[in-house]
Amino acid sequence: MNANHRLALQRHSEFWFEDGNIVFHAGNTLFCVHRGVLVRHSPALEGILAIPSGYDTDGTEQLPIVLQQISEQEFTHFLNWVYHISVPPPPEEQFLVAILKISHLWMISNSIKFAIDGLENLTLHPTRRLELARLYSIPQWIAPAIREIMTSSLTNTTDNEATQMGFKVYTIIARAKEVMERERRALAAYPPSLLVSASFSCSARSHSQCKEAWSGFWWKKVARAILHPTNPLPLTQTLQLILEAPLPNGMNAACRQAMVDAMIELDGLEVEERIIEGVIRAVTLYFSSL
């Protein structure tokens, strides 16, 4: 470190212990802390610090250990946790993410758990949860975040939320939502089960009326709900909508049940769930490859 740069650095007002024995550099600030306190939390850090650097003064004020991509505020939050000096009740996102970031780097399992537990108690946007899952290996957050994103519109996604997802994940989700929308339109456009034979209590002549009543009901009630522009009906709730609605005029109850049974057998209403599961698998595989 050159003399001019060293003069520009300042000692941290709180985390500069006179009896400290290792100096870190984060942002424009120097921290003199206790090596033993840190390595007690992180055996991995003990191994890192044991690697010879070739400099006798490494870890001193003259040659501090530089924490790349860690800000002064982040390291302060981390040391607050390590020394149990000032933990905000309840912990805020910035505090918890700083602990998660540094603990993930130094493999400190107890503080990783503390940070994740704390973040789970906060209301984080699903794209933020995905970002943190990618950065800090939190696979259990992937599925809930994907489900929330897949069941909401991308139209209102901000630039920041798109950045949090990342181009790859955004592309996976956008393509899947396009496929899902195509499946929804197809289901809405063609009333299923029209080829079902008349039930035991319905004659062939009456069954034509059942089909006509079913088709009218589908268009007026079901298709409209599926294609609603702001609050579309999830396909998995289609059967519930049908069964809770009054029996369409001119339709035999047994014929309606036969058509519902045929829809269940075809399994077409589960297409959304299969698409979402596919997105979860794709994103999980992508994150694990990073």
Side-chain angles (χ1 to χ4, degrees):
M1 180 187 302
N2 62 52
N4 290 336
H5 189 200
R6 188 162 57 247
L7 289 173
L9 300 178
Q10 58 182 356
R11 294 178 175 182
H12 195 276
S13 59
E14 186 173 12
F15 293 109
W16 183 273
F17 298 106
E18 293 300 330
D19 63 343
N21 53 8
I22 188 167
V23 179
F24 290 93
H25 169 200
N28 292 319
T29 306
L30 296 174
F31 300 78
C32 184
V33 294
H34 304 93
R35 178 176 180 145
V37 172
L38 295 181
V39 300
R40 185 165 66 248
H41 285 81
S42 174
L45 179 60
E46 183 175 19
I48 294 171
L49 296 176
I51 299 173
S53 66
Y55 297 95
D56 293 337
T57 58
D58 196 24
T60 65
E61 188 169 9
Q62 290 70 40
L63 193 62
I65 297 173
V66 179
L67 300 174
Q68 301 287 354
Q69 299 182 335
I70 295 176
S71 70
E72 177 266 339
Q73 187 63 59
E74 287 173 332
F75 200 53
T76 299
H77 285 320
F78 173 73
L79 292 176
N80 273 323
W81 159 250
V82 169
Y83 283 94
H84 300 289
I85 291 177
S86 176
V87 178
E92 298 176 351
E93 179 183 347
Q94 185 183 45
F95 175 82
L96 293 166
V97 172
I99 293 172
L100 180 61
K101 177 179 180 178
I102 299 172
S103 299
H104 182 263
L105 177 66
W106 287 346
M107 294 179 282
I108 308 175
S109 57
N110 66 327
S111 51
I112 289 174
K113 184 180 185 305
F114 167 80
I116 290 176
D117 288 347
L119 288 166
E120 286 179 341
N121 290 326
L122 302 180
T123 305
L124 299 180
H125 193 278
T127 60
R128 178 58 168 157
R129 280 184 272 138
L130 266 188
E131 180 183 40
L132 294 175
R134 170 175 53 83
L135 291 173
Y136 307 120
S137 303
I138 314 175
Q140 67 270 28
W141 284 7
I142 297 175
I146 290 294
R147 289 186 181 281
E148 192 169 342
I149 295 169
M150 287 294 296
T151 53
S152 59
S153 174
L154 285 181
T155 305
N156 298 324
T157 301
T158 66
D159 290 345
N160 182 58
E161 291 164 356
T163 300
Q164 289 173 341
M165 283 189 277
F167 177 77
K168 176 74 172 180
V169 172
Y170 185 89
T171 302
I172 292 172
I173 290 174
R175 289 174 176 171
K177 287 180 76 68
E178 185 176 349
V179 173
M180 184 183 293
E181 186 59 30
R182 186 165 62 242
E183 293 289 344
R184 293 176 62 82
R185 288 197 300 266
L187 180 64
Y190 302 103
S193 309
L194 285 178
L195 299 179
V196 172
S197 301
S199 65
F200 64 92
S201 61
C202 183
S203 66
R205 178 177 297 180
S206 296
H207 193 53
S208 62
Q209 296 178 351
C210 287
K211 289 182 178 181
E212 184 177 347
W214 173 254
S215 181
F217 167 76
W218 185 268
W219 282 111
K220 293 178 182 178
K221 188 76 174 178
V222 183
R224 180 173 295 184
I226 291 173
L227 298 177
H228 194 282
T230 59
N231 188 30
L233 178 76
L235 296 186
T236 52
Q237 296 180 20
T238 304
L239 292 179
Q240 181 181 349
L241 173 69
I242 294 170
L243 294 174
E244 290 180 351
L247 185 68
N249 290 332
M251 189 172 194
N252 183 286
C255 284
R256 181 178 70 169
Q257 186 59 52
M259 291 184 177
V260 168
D261 292 342
M263 290 174 62
I264 295 173
E265 186 175 346
L266 289 173
D267 201 29
L269 300 179
E270 299 298 324
V271 63
E272 284 182 327
E273 179 62 22
R274 289 194 292 269
I275 292 172
I276 292 173
E277 288 289 346
V279 173
I280 293 171
R281 287 193 298 270
V283 173
T284 301
L285 182 63
Y286 169 60
F287 283 3
S288 65
S289 71
L290 299 176

